[in-house]
Amino acid sequence: MFDKTIHNAAIMDICIKTLHEVNCDFVGFAFQNQIGPDIKWHVVAGNQNEKYKHITLRYGKGIAGRVISTGSPMTIEDFPHDILGKALEYPIMLAEKLIYAYAVPIYLNGAPKGVFLIGQRLRKGLSEEEKKVIIIQARSIEDTIS
Amino acid sequence: MERLPEKKEISNYIIQSSEDEIKRIAFELHEGVGQTLYSVFTGMQLLEANMTDHESKHHVHEMNEILEKTIQEIRFLSVELHPPTLSSLGFLPALKSYLNLYKATYGILVEVEQVGQEILLPERHRIMLFRVCQEALGNIAKYADTHQVHIKLEWEKHGVAIVICDEGIGFDVEKNRHKPGLAVMYERMKLIGGNCVITSTLGKGTTIQLELPLQ
Ligand SMILES: Nc1ncnc2c1ncn2[C@@H]1O[C@H](COP(=O)(O)OP(=O)(O)OP(=O)(O)O)[C@@H](O)[C@H]1O
Ligand SMILES: [Mg+2]
């Protein structure tokens, strides 16, 4: 289970490393709280404000909520033009003014319990190489918390 | 000859019937689907507690977690559609439950200041005020780029005044007053005999003033 006091520093390193290695402006890690059903953004890098601290992810909604409920990666190419539903269903895109995002699930004991999200404020997109780097980083987050 | 209904009556009728439908769906989610899932959840918890096989127990535990999150999301959805308290307890309790959800969803803090005691308005007026506030708050989450909102409610003998203030990026109101979201805010207030004034300064923020005199 993700424990802030133990895992924060290591995951922060991974986020910062991703911010430098991949062409992006924002990196965030959200995970289910130790107690109760809430999913929160626990570690972020490149953020423009502190809104993430107060956000509780909505299960099955938006990019992060959907990645956790489906357990599969998801891309938003051109927010808010290519989305399912309303812009208001994508709080982290709005809070950090992201146009492009790629998010992958974080598994724990075989179930998706968190999300690793990479965002851009100017749309440049990600190469297949960069997406591979992100998946590797997500695996190392899983190794850290398992 | 039969009198043709006025445009205002037609608008009111259209809004009323869609609000009735939204209320019905919200109620069904909250009391129907939500309650049923909750019964399943408590049953499954009992099942989990009595299981001995480690693997099956883990599996059931995972299912319970999904169920719990789904139940929570259904409650949230019903609050967004039509807070259960809007029809029973009144405007302020409904607004407050919506604001809690709003804060948790968008990470934007909302300060509420109330002057006077709530006057029980007709349900139709409560719903209209609620929708206008919801639109204003939605716009703040989408465009204002700020983490704080201030709402002031003033209840007086002759009416209620609501002011929603953000210190965000601001926008040109003249250029946008015919956009659907804002136009509907003006129209809704007019339909219930009230008034809506939107002022905004680029770089300073936006103020929305709603006034509803009591008949
Ligand atoms: N609080 C605010 N801060 C900054 N800009 C705002 C604010 N409220 C509205 N705007 C601007 O006014 C425009 C019109 O708002 P309106 O609600 O009519 O449209 P919308 O929110 O873009 O679409 P819709 O409400 O139909 O989903 C917005 O596109 C935005 O540029
Ligand atoms: Mg709007």
Side-chain angles (χ1 to χ4, degrees), chain B residues 135-136 139-140 142-144 166 169-171 176 179-183 206:
Chain B
E135 173 64 31
N139 282 346
I140 291 171
K142 281 198 280 185
Y143 306 113
D166 74 68
I169 59 168
F171 69 106
N176 286 286
K179 295 265 172 70
L182 299 185
T206 303

Side-chain angles (χ1 to χ4, degrees), chain A residues 32 56 58 88 97 113, chain B residues 62 69 73 104 106 145-146:
Chain A
Q32 176 153 0
T56 300
R58 303 274 297 266
L88 281 171
K97 290 189 271 164
K113 287 291 159 68
Chain B
E62 290 300 325
K69 283 186 276 222
E73 183 53 34
Y106 302 108
D145 195 11
T146 179

Side-chain angles (χ1 to χ4, degrees), chain B residues 58-117:
Chain B
H58 173 73
H59 198 64
V60 171
H61 181 78
E62 290 300 325
M63 282 164 63
N64 278 340
E65 279 197 357
I66 293 176
L67 212 49
E68 194 181 8
K69 283 186 276 222
T70 306
I71 292 167
Q72 174 161 297
E73 183 53 34
I74 283 178
R75 292 213 177 106
F76 290 165
L77 266 177
S78 94
V79 169
E80 273 175 344
L81 287 171
H82 184 116
T85 46
L86 189 55
S87 305
S88 53
L89 294 178
F91 175 74
L92 188 66
L95 182 68
K96 283 199 170 153
S97 70
Y98 178 72
L99 290 178
N100 283 334
L101 180 57
Y102 179 83
K103 283 184 231 175
T105 303
Y106 302 108
I108 298 172
L109 306 176
V110 188
E111 219 177 57
V112 181
E113 182 190 346
Q114 174 160 251
V115 181
Q117 281 293 310

Side-chain angles (χ1 to χ4, degrees), chain A:
Chain A
M1 205 53 178
F2 170 71
D3 184 334
K4 215 165 183 116
T5 52
I6 304 171
H7 304 124
N8 222 47
I11 296 176
M12 184 53 109
D13 285 347
I14 295 171
C15 288
I16 290 171
K17 196 161 164 241
T18 308
L19 197 61
H20 291 148
E21 281 180 10
V22 174
N23 196 346
C24 67
D25 308 298
F26 176 84
V27 180
F29 162 74
F31 204 79
Q32 176 153 0
N33 284 359
Q34 274 173 302
I35 300 162
D38 287 357
I39 306 161
K40 294 267 203 181
W41 292 102
H42 290 285
V43 186
V44 308
N47 56 307
Q48 283 192 335
N49 54 65
E50 311 267 275
K51 286 181 191 173
Y52 76 92
K53 288 187 179 169
H54 306 286
I55 293 178
T56 300
L57 260 65
R58 303 274 297 266
Y59 187 67
K61 283 185 133 190
I63 177 165
R66 203 163 287 141
V67 165
I68 295 179
S69 69
T70 61
S72 328
M74 183 175 159
T75 310
I76 291 180
E77 296 281 350
D78 186 14
F79 184 80
H81 305 292
D82 71 327
I83 53 164
L84 273 166
K86 301 187 292 180
L88 281 171
E89 288 178 28
Y90 295 77
I92 198 67
M93 304 295 287
L94 294 171
E96 289 292 334
K97 290 189 271 164
L98 306 176
I99 301 291
Y100 175 95
Y102 176 61
V104 296
I106 300 289
Y107 278 78
L108 181 74
N109 302 328
K113 287 291 159 68
V115 58
F116 186 52
L117 179 142
I118 276 73
Q120 298 173 343
R121 295 193 181 93
L122 292 172
R123 185 160 68 103
K124 294 163 240 146
L126 292 175
S127 65
E128 285 310 310
E129 282 309 305
E130 287 174 305
K131 286 190 178 178
K132 274 186 199 138
V133 171
I134 291 160
I135 290 169
I136 292 168
Q137 306 289 36
R139 289 299 92 81
S140 60
I141 292 180
E142 288 174 354
D143 293 340
T144 307
I145 58 179
S146 65

